[in-house]
Amino acid sequence: DTAVSQTPKYLVTQMGNDKSIKCEQNLGHDTMYWYKQDSKKFLKIMFSYNNKELIINETVPNRFSPKSPDKAHLNLHINSLELGDSAVYFCASSQVRDTYEQYFGPGTRLTVT
Amino acid sequence: SQKIEQNSEALNIQEGKTATLTCNYTNYSPAYLQWYRQDPGRGPVFLLLIRENEKEKRKERLKVTFDTTLKQSLFHITASQPADSATYLCALDRGSTLGRLYFGRGTQLTVWP
């Protein structure tokens, strides 16, 4: 009965590889987000989708590509991983124009070696 | 660009005292201001939201104030307990883009017995 779930929890990979992180929410929310939290704990938005439409696309390298197959899922694919991509990635969801608060997943700790 | 500052990286107080955390922002005025709690290894958890036309909001031992003139929000935890130890994040929503939140770096609160 987890509200926002992410897989995997940990991801260790080498530079140059391609990896994906999956996110699912069972709250019936219409908007989902990807955030990156760096080593200094700064949480910064990367993307958001509202009803499967991309509405926020921050200045993120185009090696990062989100994909929303339906309202309950938002995946993040990363190509050609670099050392600087190491961080914790959080998925979140909300029902905008209603309650506004965001519900976060447990995070995926990505380590690029 | 939006800048959010939380008064200090760390705050240590004794159990039973009131913890007061500060969030200052520059440039644009937010339509909403939210506070989240983050425990180590977990995603942020929503605590309280206050709107620009509200001065104060309470929830159990938590109180948030919002002063748009000072561009500041204060977050209070009364009768603090060791279980309140966590990092507290302030987040601003300008209301212009669906669900777009600007997060501060957080204040790590430690409540000692």
Side-chain angles (χ1 to χ4, degrees):
Chain A
D1 59 346
T2 304
V4 181
S5 59
Q6 295 179 228
T7 54
K9 174 80 172 166
Y10 300 95
L11 187 52
V12 180
T13 188
Q14 291 184 328
M15 286 175 55
N17 285 348
D18 303 338
K19 290 293 179 185
S20 292
I21 306 172
K22 295 186 176 181
C23 178
E24 176 180 1
Q25 56 98 0
N26 62 5
L27 298 167
H29 288 164
D30 61 4
T31 305
M32 295 184 72
Y33 312 81
W34 276 112
Y35 286 87
K36 179 180 180 180
Q37 189 169 47
D38 60 25
S39 58
K40 295 184 178 180
K41 307 300 183 185
F42 185 48
L43 192 63
K44 188 174 180 186
I45 192 164
M46 301 172 68
F47 303 102
S48 80
Y49 274 75
N50 176 258
N51 289 316
K52 295 172 54 180
E53 179 184 351
L54 181 66
I55 55 169
I56 297 175
N57 186 356
E58 290 295 290
T59 307
V60 176
N62 57 15
R63 298 181 294 104
F64 290 79
S65 54
K67 186 164 286 188
S68 181
D70 55 57
K71 280 173 51 175
H73 296 85
L74 180 62
N75 303 322
L76 183 66
H77 188 76
I78 315 170
N79 290 326
S80 304
L81 279 155
E82 300 178 356
L83 291 176
D85 298 332
S86 297
V88 181
Y89 293 84
F90 287 101
C91 175
S93 73
S94 72
Q95 186 68 21
V96 293
R97 297 199 185 95
D98 184 4
T99 54
Y100 296 95
E101 64 257 33
Q102 297 187 10
Y103 292 77
F104 284 78
T108 296
R109 180 174 293 277
L110 172 65
T111 303
V112 183
T113 62
Chain B
S1 62
Q2 186 74 54
K3 188 175 180 182
I4 302 119
E5 288 185 352
Q6 295 193 238
N7 57 330
S8 60
E9 287 190 12
L11 180 64
N12 300 312
I13 65 167
Q14 188 177 22
E15 182 176 10
K17 303 290 186 184
T18 296
T20 299
L21 286 65
T22 305
C23 176
N24 294 296
Y25 59 92
T26 59
N27 297 341
Y28 309 102
S29 292
Y32 311 93
L33 192 144
Q34 302 184 28
W35 284 88
Y36 289 78
R37 168 182 173 145
Q38 187 173 22
D39 291 283
R42 294 178 174 263
V45 175
F46 171 79
L47 295 175
L48 280 170
L49 177 150
I50 189 165
R51 290 173 169 76
E52 61 180 335
N53 60 352
E54 297 176 321
K55 295 291 186 185
E56 183 180 297
K57 206 77 166 285
R58 290 175 184 262
K59 179 182 176 182
E60 297 173 351
R61 294 185 295 112
L62 309 180
K63 184 178 83 171
V64 173
T65 61
F66 196 6
D67 189 325
T68 55
T69 302
L70 292 178
K71 296 192 174 183
Q72 182 181 81
S73 174
L74 298 179
F75 178 81
H76 306 272
I77 306 175
T78 58
S80 59
Q81 305 166 1
D84 295 326
S85 298
T87 296
Y88 291 85
L89 304 169
C90 160
L92 307 185
D93 180 354
R94 288 167 47 191
S96 59
T97 304
L98 296 177
R100 202 223 189 277
L101 291 180
Y102 297 83
F103 278 88
R105 290 188 180 274
T107 296
Q108 185 174 341
L109 174 67
T110 302
V111 181
W112 44 280

